[in-house]
Amino acid sequence: VLDVALDLRKHSITYGQYETILLSGTNKNQLFIPKGFAHGFIVLSESAILSYKVDNYYNPDSESGIVWNDPDLNIDWKINKADIVISEKDSKLSTFNNFVTPFE
C-alpha cells in the first residue's frame, strides 16, 4: 500500500505538502496521521488489509476529501493511471485549491 498524508493546516509551514510511505507485510511500517492532515492510499498489490487506530467515532457528516489526481499536488501514486479504480464518492471530491479546510 502506498500511504499518503497531506498537511491541511493553513498556518503550517508545511501546508499543502505531503509525505508518502510504502506499507507492506514485509517492511511492517506504520504511519501516524495527526489531526489536520488528509489521508489517502492506494493498494499496489492484488489485495491488502489495513488496520486503523482512531481518536473518535466515525462521523459520515464530517467526511470530505481531495481528488486523487489533483494537478497542483501531483502525487505519484506509483501505478498506471489507467489501472486506478475510484469509487463514485471519491470521484466527486474537490481539488486542493477548492478544498475548505476546518484546520486553521
Side-chain angles (χ1 to χ4, degrees), residues 17-91:
Q17 296 179 28
Y18 63 89
E19 290 289 331
T20 63
I21 186 171
L22 186 62
L23 307 176
S24 73
T26 303
N27 68 27
K28 310 265 191 257
N29 286 338
Q30 297 180 25
L31 181 62
F32 174 74
I33 302 169
K35 193 171 278 192
F37 283 71
H39 173 236
F41 67 90
I42 189 164
V43 176
L44 300 173
S45 57
E46 289 294 318
S47 65
I49 297 173
L50 296 176
S51 297
Y52 292 89
K53 292 181 180 181
V54 296
D55 68 353
N56 215 326
Y57 292 101
Y58 173 65
N59 178 3
D61 293 334
S62 67
E63 201 171 79
S64 64
I66 297 166
V67 68
W68 71 274
N69 59 348
D70 183 281
D72 292 318
L73 297 175
N74 196 28
I75 297 171
D76 179 3
W77 291 99
K78 309 290 185 202
I79 193 169
N80 184 330
K81 290 181 180 182
D83 294 334
I84 294 177
V85 178
I86 301 294
S87 70
E88 182 179 342
K89 177 185 78 164
D90 286 353
S91 69

